[in-house]
Amino acid sequence: GENVEQHPSTLSVQEGDSAVIKCTYSDSASNYFPWYKQELGKGPQLIIDIRSNVGEKKDQRIAVTLNKTAKHFSLHITETQPEDSAVYFCAASMPGNQFYFGTGTSLTVIP
Amino acid sequence: DTAVSQTPKYLVTQMGNDKSIKCEQNLGHDTMYWYKQDSKKFLKIMFSYNNKELIINETVPNRFSPKSPDKAHLNLHINSLELGDSAVYFCASSQRTGVDEQYFGPGTRLTVT
């Protein structure tokens, strides 16, 4: 089955700096890559996703890049704010299959 | 309006008891899931139902039994609770499996003493 690795497990940045979280996957058939943000005491919530026919996608301060050849994808958060502090999960999947989640990155933005 | 709701939010019980967690989604989705999140925050898929049919059943003790009375509901019943069952359980739903966003419920924190 698919194996998703996520790094780093913890990340601390100063407010206003950028944060980058990286994931790799093993199954070249995976074609959907969502990113979820989980705030304390809440369920994960989708913040951005990308499909394999696209190399990059942006939504305001958040961007995701995908390198299908190398089988890795990354989340970029610019101009970080304290409310960006949360646990972030990447995932990989394909039609009819489950989401394979990474192990999570705990992001702390220091004011 | 809550898209995916779970009850109860907190559940404290003793070893050996039987308990249920209920999940309902009002999004009209065809697929529903149960996840377990342990203390290290790892999200592990337990079950997935599509149109009331079980499609994913990961390696989960058979003390866990999901039941889907209709497309909008997926309940989780746990028999003979053990200390290791303590975790946060999330219900989720999506329109299609593997290609659409999954919407997560707020979670149920289960503590077995």
Side-chain angles (χ1 to χ4, degrees), chain A residues 54-74:
Chain A
V54 175
E56 183 176 0
K57 185 176 178 181
K58 279 187 180 180
D59 183 4
Q60 299 181 344
R61 297 186 297 107
I62 294 172
V64 57
T65 58
L66 171 65
N67 183 326
K68 284 191 298 182
T69 304
K71 296 201 198 74
H72 65 70
F73 56 113
S74 301

Side-chain angles (χ1 to χ4, degrees), chain A residues 36 38 51 89 93 96-98, chain B residues 37 45 58 97-99 102:
Chain A
Y36 282 81
Q38 185 178 20
R51 299 185 191 272
F89 292 95
S93 71
N97 214 331
Q98 62 178 298
Chain B
Q37 186 172 49
I45 183 82
E58 288 295 297
T97 309
V99 295
Q102 290 184 15

Side-chain angles (χ1 to χ4, degrees), chain A residues 18-104:
Chain A
S18 295
V20 180
I21 303 170
K22 298 183 179 182
C23 289
T24 60
Y25 61 100
S26 60
D27 193 333
S28 57
S30 289
N31 60 3
Y32 179 59
F33 306 93
W35 284 89
Y36 282 81
K37 175 183 181 182
Q38 185 178 20
E39 297 177 344
L40 197 61
K42 297 185 178 180
Q45 186 172 14
L46 182 80
I47 54 170
I48 196 166
D49 57 11
I50 192 167
R51 299 185 191 272
S52 59
N53 58 347
V54 175
E56 183 176 0
K57 185 176 178 181
K58 279 187 180 180
D59 183 4
Q60 299 181 344
R61 297 186 297 107
I62 294 172
V64 57
T65 58
L66 171 65
N67 183 326
K68 284 191 298 182
T69 304
K71 296 201 198 74
H72 65 70
F73 56 113
S74 301
L75 177 71
H76 304 253
I77 306 174
T78 58
E79 301 171 22
T80 52
Q81 300 167 4
E83 51 265 39
D84 294 329
S85 296
V87 178
Y88 291 81
F89 292 95
C90 63
S93 71
M94 64 190 78
N97 214 331
Q98 62 178 298
F99 279 13
Y100 291 88
F101 281 95
T103 47

Side-chain angles (χ1 to χ4, degrees), chain B residues 46-94:
Chain B
M46 300 174 70
F47 303 102
S48 174
Y49 270 72
N50 182 270
N51 280 318
K52 301 195 302 175
E53 281 194 35
L54 181 66
I55 56 170
I56 295 172
N57 183 356
E58 288 295 297
T59 307
V60 176
N62 56 16
R63 298 182 295 104
F64 291 79
S65 53
K67 285 188 171 51
S68 181
D70 54 57
K71 265 180 32 172
H73 296 85
L74 180 61
N75 303 322
L76 184 65
H77 188 75
I78 316 170
N79 289 327
S80 304
L81 278 155
E82 300 177 356
L83 292 176
D85 298 332
S86 294
V88 181
Y89 292 84
F90 288 101
C91 177
S93 73
S94 69

